[in-house]
Amino acid sequence: MSYFSSSTSYSRSSKVKGRVVLNFEKLKCLDDAVTLFHQMVTMKPLPAVVHFSKLFNNMIKMKHYSAVLSLFRQMQKLGIPISDFILSSMINSYCLMHRADSAFSVLPIYLKNGVSFDVVTFTTLIRGLFAENKVKDAVELFKKLVREKICEPNEIMYATVMNGLSKRGHTQKTLSLLRLMEQGNTEPNIYNYNIVIDALCKDGNLDAAINILNEMKQKNIYPNIVTYNSIIDGLCKFGQWEKVTTLFSEMVNLNMYPDVCTFNILTDGLCKEGKVEDAEEVMKHMVEKGVEPNVITYNVIMDGYCLCGQLDRARRIFDILIDKGIEPDIFSYNILIDGLCKEGKVEDAEEVMKHMVEKGVEPNVITYNVIMDGYCLRGQLDRATRIFDILIDKGIEPDIFSYNILINGYCKKKKLDEAMQLFCEISQKGLKPNIGVAKQLFVEMVSAGPAPDLYSYCTLLDGYFKYGLVEEAI
């Protein structure tokens, strides 16, 4: 479809007492947006530039990023005035398309049109760099902005950098940024503190997280539900239930009541300790308190029962989920399929997979891996291979686990040629081989006799050296 086609049967603007009223709320698709754009550029006088910005923002919400860029170029050709909001939309569109390098090409347009850079411009660029995992570039840009005083970072820019670092395990750097904020002109807010607390909790550094919480209170920065959820999650993971109870009481004293996320954290912690019946009691309690369980709540309890080998109870929870009118997601089905396969009921698992497809939920690589593994454990390698072929036919890329499952299955059946062929495919696809599986393949080759040929040795050694596993290779 051409972005500049003006034919449509539905107008998104109307006239009120001789003037045109632009209705952005009724935009439903790309055709509507493009048609409205063409109506706008032919109006006399032209609509205010803010209206073009609103149109582009609506298109970004609909994820039509490339169309936004195309219409912007059309604006330039027509000589329509450009604002900082519109240029920010262009940068945002490039970044959302994971094209941060192209987003930087918008900066000269700012200069050409006499538009000043602002903190929003650079925050968007930093977020785009992090989205592409260009951590070093994102940090360097932030440092350059501060060092050369190009713009004063605000709480949102700090939060963007802190969030990008914490998500990649750089907890100490995240904490250092918080300390930098505290010493500078930008006062940290609740969101900045929450990022640091969450990062510390995920690292298991709960004492440091609680210290930050106490610092906040001393500065009259009041924690919110997100703060408490992060700390409760960390405490649950380490089984510190007394401290969890203390935090619950503290929340209630602050007139802050647990939400569905809080209860999901509790049920997950209990299930991981094998206390699935207690987790189900928590779910009943949340209903009594007027908090409705969501699909995650049911998934957690289903998984808990499957891990305990209580498949009947897991299926009961699945049925309750359906009865409540909640749509099972890919995780719901994968949990049930995994539970069935672990009990050797692989054909039943395949039936569940067919059912999920009928319900419009497409299996993913995990679904196929679980069923392949189930068949391999039963020694039915032909069926496992059939599932692998279906995975390929569906256009789903096998992961390292897919290959490991089959290589392991072939080794157990002494089909070493097929195992070696799959091992070669792993190297060709750039996947990192599992050393345990590679060793098993080598041991099986040696024990099968005669001794492996030079090609087999070279293939295995190539797989080891390619990923820097020198000691294993030697």
Side-chain angles (χ1 to χ4, degrees):
M1 187 204 76
S2 169
Y3 292 137
F4 308 117
S5 168
S6 59
S7 61
T8 188
S9 58
Y10 194 94
S11 174
R12 297 300 171 186
S13 62
S14 57
K15 286 189 176 181
V16 177
K17 294 183 180 178
R19 64 185 178 87
V20 176
V21 177
L22 300 169
N23 194 338
F24 299 103
E25 293 179 1
K26 290 186 178 179
L27 295 176
K28 300 296 181 186
C29 64
L30 181 55
D31 278 332
D32 293 342
V34 172
T35 300
L36 182 54
F37 174 82
H38 283 291
Q39 289 176 346
M40 289 168 69
V41 298
T42 55
M43 289 177 187
K44 291 183 181 179
L46 282 170
V49 69
V50 68
H51 294 304
F52 287 98
S53 181
K54 284 181 180 177
L55 174 62
F56 289 157
N57 284 335
N58 273 274
M59 292 173 70
I60 288 170
K61 286 177 184 175
M62 292 189 282
K63 300 184 179 181
H64 296 305
Y65 313 127
S66 59
V68 170
L69 297 168
S70 296
L71 294 183
F72 171 69
R73 286 191 283 270
Q74 185 77 350
M75 276 185 74
Q76 286 181 295
K77 288 177 184 176
L78 294 169
I80 296 171
I82 292 165
S83 69
D84 54 344
F85 296 108
I86 287 179
L87 291 174
S88 289
S89 295
M90 298 313 106
I91 288 176
N92 195 25
S93 295
Y94 275 123
C95 289
L96 290 168
M97 294 167 70
H98 286 191
R99 292 172 59 191
D101 289 346
S102 298
F104 279 93
S105 69
V106 178
L107 296 181
I109 302 175
Y110 277 82
L111 300 173
K112 185 179 176 181
N113 287 271
V115 179
S116 301
F117 302 131
D118 61 12
V119 70
V120 176
T121 309
F122 292 109
T123 301
T124 307
L125 284 168
I126 289 170
R127 188 181 297 113
L129 288 167
F130 274 119
E132 293 181 44
N133 215 27
K134 295 178 178 177
V135 180
K136 187 178 178 182
D137 293 341
V139 172
E140 281 303 314
L141 175 58
F142 176 73
K143 287 180 178 178
K144 183 181 176 70
L145 297 173
V146 176
R147 186 172 56 246
E148 299 180 15
K149 297 181 179 178
I150 296 170
C151 79
E152 181 74 26
N154 62 8
E155 299 95 332
I156 298 171
M157 181 180 281
Y158 272 107
T160 302
V161 179
M162 291 163 72
N163 193 49
L165 289 170
S166 68
K167 290 273 190 292
R168 288 153 186 86
H170 302 295
T171 304
Q172 286 308 310
K173 289 180 181 178
T174 307
L175 180 56
S176 297
L177 265 182
L178 179 70
R179 298 310 183 200
L180 183 68
M181 285 185 76
E182 289 172 337
Q183 294 165 13
N185 298 324
T186 308
E187 284 287 326
N189 61 22
I190 181 65
Y191 301 106
N192 303 111
Y193 280 106
N194 281 348
I195 290 167
V196 175
I197 286 172
D198 189 60
L200 289 166
C201 289
K202 282 185 166 57
D203 273 3
N205 198 346
L206 297 173
D207 289 340
I210 291 169
N211 286 340
I212 298 283
L213 174 66
N214 293 331
E215 282 180 29
M216 287 169 58
K217 293 174 187 174
Q218 288 168 9
K219 294 177 181 179
N220 291 323
I221 299 172
Y222 295 102
N224 61 16
I225 190 72
V226 176
T227 322
Y228 283 104
N229 282 350
S230 292
I231 298 176
I232 288 170
D233 186 43
L235 293 170
C236 286
K237 282 184 169 64
F238 286 89
Q240 298 185 27
W241 297 104
E242 287 184 13
K243 289 184 179 179
V244 170
T245 305
T246 303
L247 277 184
F248 255 84
S249 300
E250 193 175 299
M251 287 171 67
V252 173
N253 289 337
L254 291 169
N255 291 322
M256 191 185 305
Y257 295 96
D259 60 6
V260 67
C261 182
T262 320
F263 283 112
N264 286 348
I265 289 165
L266 280 176
T267 53
D268 186 54
L270 289 166
C271 286
K272 281 185 168 58
E273 289 197 4
K275 300 173 181 177
V276 194
E277 291 177 356
D278 291 345
E280 204 172 339
E281 284 301 313
V282 169
M283 184 170 71
K284 290 175 185 174
H285 177 73
M286 67 190 282
V287 173
E288 290 168 4
K289 292 294 181 183
V291 181
E292 279 301 314
N294 60 14
V295 68
I296 297 171
T297 321
Y298 290 103
N299 286 350
V300 164
I301 295 175
M302 276 174 57
D303 193 41
Y305 277 128
C306 283
L307 290 171
C308 294
Q310 299 183 54
L311 187 60
D312 289 343
R313 290 191 172 190
R315 294 195 81 151
R316 175 176 59 81
I317 297 296
F318 186 84
D319 292 338
I320 292 171
L321 180 151
I322 301 290
D323 292 342
K324 291 281 186 181
I326 300 171
E327 289 292 329
D329 60 13
I330 185 68
F331 300 103
S332 317
Y333 286 109
N334 282 350
I335 289 164
L336 193 55
I337 287 168
D338 186 51
L340 287 164
C341 287
K342 279 185 169 62
E343 289 205 355
K345 299 176 179 178
V346 195
E347 288 86 357
D348 291 348
E350 269 208 78
E351 284 302 313
V352 172
M353 184 168 70
K354 290 174 185 173
H355 175 75
M356 67 189 278
V357 173
E358 290 168 3
K359 292 293 182 181
V361 181
E362 283 300 315
N364 60 12
V365 68
I366 296 169
T367 320
Y368 290 105
N369 286 350
V370 167
I371 294 176
M372 278 196 317
D373 193 42
Y375 279 128
C376 282
L377 289 171
R378 281 174 34 173
Q380 294 175 300
L381 198 55
D382 54 337
R383 292 192 175 188
T385 307
R386 175 178 58 81
I387 297 295
F388 186 82
D389 292 338
I390 292 171
L391 181 151
I392 301 290
D393 291 341
K394 292 282 186 181
I396 299 171
E397 192 70 31
D399 61 13
I400 190 63
F401 300 104
S402 316
Y403 286 103
N404 287 346
I405 289 163
L406 275 187
I407 290 172
N408 192 34
Y410 279 128
C411 285
K412 286 179 179 175
K413 285 286 187 179
K414 308 296 180 187
K415 294 186 175 183
L416 302 181
D417 289 342
E418 289 90 338
M420 178 58 77
Q421 185 179 342
L422 283 174
F423 188 84
C424 291
E425 280 187 36
I426 291 175
S427 296
Q428 290 165 6
K429 288 181 177 290
L431 297 169
K432 187 171 182 177
N434 178 284
I435 295 309
V437 171
K439 283 181 177 176
Q440 182 188 354
L441 174 54
F442 183 72
V443 169
E444 292 287 352
M445 286 166 60
V446 173
S447 63
D453 59 18
L454 183 61
Y455 173 77
S456 302
Y457 276 112
C458 288
T459 303
L460 285 165
L461 288 172
D462 181 59
Y464 280 101
F465 279 121
K466 188 172 282 185
Y467 299 99
L469 304 167
V470 180
E471 288 183 17
E472 287 84 352
I474 291 169

